[in-house]
Amino acid sequence: THGVMGHYLSESWEGGLHAFVGNLTTDSELRPKGFSGQFEKTVGGIHRVGASFLHQKNSFQTLTSYAAHGRFNIKEGSSVMAELGHTKKDTNNNLEESTARYGLLQTSVRPFRGVYFLTNVDYLKNDIHQSDYTVRWGPALQYFPIQRIELRADIYDTRNFSNSSASKDSWMYVLQTHIWL
């Protein structure tokens, strides 16, 4: 997206604002324009808590999101991260308005240098006025064999909860390789 961003970083807090006009190569009526921001504060010298927001619109819809998040140190190299968010989408034709909520919890445990055991739990309620929601969870292994190379293996179980229908769990296996130049 094309825009202007400012970011400030101090010893105990940081914050940023971003005003954007979308991707200028996209048709103007489709291009989202708006602003976003985030703020984080160090608590107790080792933990971070913060909030973020986004407001954007184009000719067809307006989207507003906000979230609170935290990263908490368990011991050196191990942590717990959590985020709770809310998103509201309004359309100009009033047909697809929705309000969603989501949550994320991730633990990261470093038993020894270069190896991390992760656990991810995602929660999504696409419409807060409906009873349906989705939970995805699973373990992961992250390994840094040498500098600039990361290997990661994840297993995810996705379960949809609904009063009107039943579905089988969906399993996904993900292998990733990241190389930083």
Side-chain angles (χ1 to χ4, degrees), residues 87 98-101 124-130 132-134:
T87 300
S98 66
T99 302
R101 290 207 178 114
L124 174 62
K125 187 165 190 156
N126 274 322
D127 188 345
I128 63 171
H129 303 294
Q130 303 285 329
D132 301 356
Y133 63 96
T134 301

Side-chain angles (χ1 to χ4, degrees), residues 140-153:
L141 175 66
Q142 187 178 34
Y143 175 52
F144 297 89
I146 59 175
Q147 286 185 1
R148 301 181 188 257
I149 295 181
E150 172 192 354
L151 305 173
R152 183 167 167 165

Side-chain angles (χ1 to χ4, degrees), residues 3 45 49 59 77 86 88 95 98 100 107 117 127 130 147 169 177:
V49 294
S59 298
H86 183 90
K88 183 171 181 173
L95 293 178
S98 66
T107 61
F117 294 111
D127 188 345
Q130 303 285 329
Q147 286 185 1
D169 288 10
T177 302

Side-chain angles (χ1 to χ4, degrees), residues 85-145:
H86 183 90
T87 300
K88 183 171 181 173
K89 180 173 72 170
D90 293 318
T91 58
N92 289 347
N93 61 11
N94 295 326
L95 293 178
E96 295 183 38
E97 293 183 3
S98 66
T99 302
R101 290 207 178 114
Y102 69 91
L104 164 72
L105 177 67
Q106 182 183 66
T107 61
S108 175
V109 176
R110 186 184 79 172
F112 46 89
R113 186 176 177 177
V115 175
Y116 295 87
F117 294 111
L118 308 172
T119 303
N120 300 294
V121 180
D122 301 327
Y123 165 84
L124 174 62
K125 187 165 190 156
N126 274 322
D127 188 345
I128 63 171
H129 303 294
Q130 303 285 329
S131 62
D132 301 356
Y133 63 96
T134 301
V135 174
R136 182 175 80 163
W137 69 277
L141 175 66
Q142 187 178 34
Y143 175 52
F144 297 89

